[in-house]
Amino acid sequence: MTYPPGNPYGQPQGNPYGGQQGNPYGQPYGQPQPHGGQPQPYGQPQPPYGQPQPGYGQPPPGYGQPPPYSGQPAPGGQPSWQPSTLNPHTLPDDDNVNPYVFCIALTGGEWFMSKGAMLAYYGDVRFDAVTEYSSVQAWVASRFSSPVYISDWVVAQGHGKLLIGDRGFDLNSYDLDDGNLTIKASNLCAFSKQLELKQSIVPGFVTLIGTGKFIASSNGPVIFVEPPFRADPDALLGWADCPSPSVHHDAQWMTQNLRGMISGALGRASGEERQYDFTGQGTILLQSSEVAREDPAVLRLVESQTQLLTNSQAGSLGQRLIARAQQQ
Amino acid sequence: MPFETVNSKVVRAHVSPGTPVLARRGSMLGYSGQVAFRPVHGQGRGIGGMVGAAMSGESNPMMATEGTGQVLYGHKGLHVTVLELDGGAPLVCEADRLLAHDATLQTSVQFLGSGGLKSAISGAMTGQGLFTTNVHGRGAVALLSHGGAFPLQLQGQQIGVDPQAYVGHVGQLTVDLAAKVGFRDVVGRGSGEAFQLRIGGHGTVYVQASEKKF
Amino acid sequence: MALLTAHKRVLHADLQGDRIRAASGSMVAFEGNVDFKSSGMGGGGGMRAALKRAVAGESLSLMDCAGHGRVYLALDAMDVLVVDLAGDTLTVESEHILAHTEQLRLDVQFAGLRGMTSGHGLATTTVTGHGQVAIVSEGPVMALEVAPGADLVVDPDAYVGSRGQLSMNLVSGVSWKSLVGEDAGEPFSLRFTGSGLVLVQSAER
């Protein structure tokens, strides 16, 4: 078995389906990037937010370049696909290992981390529940001011290299410089302790404020767009600098589709009847819409808002929810 | 050419009054410009198409996108393959593989295979999706697949394809549904997978890297 | 001789009159004259191995692919990696095995985790011999080196396999346990010591 050290992982030489039409593997996305040794800022939508790339969705320069291939041919003369061999010294500091894995270098400091994001680690690393940690360290409570999410997060501290991932989704790191960015809570994987986390007014979203780094996942590469833009709630990953969105109901859709009109009142039928409407200046982050992940915090969030209801209103809401649960 | 590949899972359509787009309902990720969406019922033209759709369960809810603007389409993080049809041989695929296509393209429902009515019924019973959609005309189609679709070029030879992994095909191809002895134990993970598609002729077959249907 | 080549999420198995074994249901297409036949549970070893496997709960259903032609194999759109073995042993979780050439032997090995009561991870599959084995993973596999002084802790769900002189222990620190709370996040982790490589995938499932 051979694992040539420093061999850029992935990438069989040439195009596996050479020259054939409609080749999805010819796209820059998803292709293993040169790594292992030469940390390259690939995969980072290094906050083009604020200065969005013209022609959103395009890979940054140097993204799709074929990596230098230095693999040894496997028996049979075909280049074999070998992973890079990594150790604590060759793992990058606070950078992507591949499009789906990010490596945090812990040097005595603390990171907030989503429970379950840990894939592996080298060194001496401790994980503490934020709830427990905040009673000891006052700054934690002040940074993590999102009680709805607190039970889903841990504080990682110590010395070592920590590898994180999220369901095999693309991971991107974002550097905030005295800025703020709002992101879907279930896509946020980790953030440095210099940043402050607050609940957004839009359910299911959180806002990061300050100067520091955070890591968030996306289904497929992040797509950057500018307002005016209307986004499907499921495909919306986040936004920066622009005002919080308003909800746009597509009148034409609702009048033509009775079903959409009814379900539009208490939920959503297909997504075309209701969008988040962005205006002003800023950047919107989109992902390929996902099978919605069950976010336990949303339940807590909605439940806390039922305080606004009177008792009889709460009762009728309960009945409607039971009816919906039985329908499914 | 209204479809632009944004990444492997998302396409962008440039919609203008002359070039409306038909897309799977719920697949719109976002848009800019003055665009309206309108549900479309009864895919497939004519009575035959409607009957076929009702019979096969191939009534994939679609919508029309009209107006002027740019619209992003994607579905559940599935991979998207854009194909250009030249007006020659139609694209044959299962209806739920269609993410979006030029509204000028025509669709109709067809029974895939040559076993006649009896096997059509048994096929429908096993839920093998033997009813497929034909896409005719000149224009662009965006197809969904789990993990990406790879093309297999046929130049007269015959290949076997797992029906679960079959995405679609273009060209002068014959498709037969073969129930292979012992195939059930081997290839199928659950029930009703005792079939494979035998495809021969000249053309391109698209296969996905997964046995997962959606 | 049969040749396995990985093409991102699809494995090409080129057969020249010989046979390979592949996970049941993993054939997505084939060209040429290829016969598929269930070969039952993974690996050889007869009755005793089969029994051992049943006890260990490490089940792997395989099929024989024999003939002339190319078979396209894939599992759930997972990434494919081909590992060449030259007489050494690869330890791999059975659900990550996509295919292997005929000369390789599959066996079940008890991981020997003391104090483990749950079925998970009690046993793993070992692949030994000269040939090729194709493994699948959510996203590309990382090969993480373990050396004296560089222990590695891995989430059990991200663990794919390993090779080398390694020993595996469970870690479940006090703090770790406390954060499991209501629903299981990571109830325990695997700590590898010794020297070798651990294969880790990029998703925790």
Side-chain angles (χ1 to χ4, degrees), chain A residues 92-210:
Chain A
D93 285 348
D94 295 339
D95 200 353
N96 277 74
V97 180
N98 62 45
Y100 321 100
V101 178
F102 190 88
C103 181
I104 295 173
L106 281 173
T107 53
E110 294 98 340
W111 273 74
F112 288 104
M113 207 178 91
S114 168
K115 224 192 237 183
M118 190 278 276
L119 296 174
Y121 67 84
Y122 287 106
D124 181 20
V125 182
R126 264 177 65 90
F127 299 90
D128 293 286
V130 172
T131 41
E132 295 197 352
Y133 207 71
S134 58
S135 57
V136 195
Q137 303 276 342
W139 62 265
V140 173
S142 69
R143 291 291 173 201
F144 202 102
S145 52
S146 310
V148 172
Y149 294 99
I150 202 158
S151 59
D152 304 327
W153 284 77
V154 294
V155 177
Q157 59 168 335
H159 294 266
K161 292 284 179 79
L162 175 57
L163 295 170
I164 62 170
D166 177 23
R167 298 164 284 167
F169 284 7
D170 288 46
L171 287 199
N172 303 297
S173 69
Y174 302 79
D175 289 307
L176 285 186
D177 184 13
D178 193 20
N180 70 83
L181 195 148
T182 304
I183 197 146
K184 189 169 268 183
S186 56
N187 285 86
L188 182 62
C189 298
F191 60 97
S192 62
K193 71 165 186 178
Q194 290 78 20
L195 289 174
E196 195 178 336
L197 183 78
K198 285 186 183 299
Q199 252 166 259
S200 167
I201 201 88
V202 181
F205 285 81
V206 288
T207 304
L208 291 138
I209 303 164

Side-chain angles (χ1 to χ4, degrees), chain B residues 86-162:
Chain B
D86 58 7
L91 166 75
V92 181
C93 66
E94 287 188 66
D96 58 4
R97 301 266 179 199
L98 285 174
L99 174 67
H101 61 83
D102 282 355
T104 50
L105 292 172
Q106 308 272 310
T107 56
S108 60
V109 175
Q110 181 207 26
F111 171 65
L112 188 70
S114 54
L117 187 63
K118 197 177 161 207
S119 67
I121 289 166
S122 75
M125 298 283 281
T126 51
Q128 282 299 306
L130 300 165
F131 289 94
T132 55
T133 297
N134 283 7
V135 186
H136 312 263
R138 186 190 295 267
V141 183
L143 282 180
L144 293 168
S145 64
H146 186 221
F150 62 93
L152 292 174
Q153 306 284 359
L154 292 196
Q155 276 138 3
Q157 79 270 33
Q158 197 181 51
I159 61 166
V161 178
D162 180 358

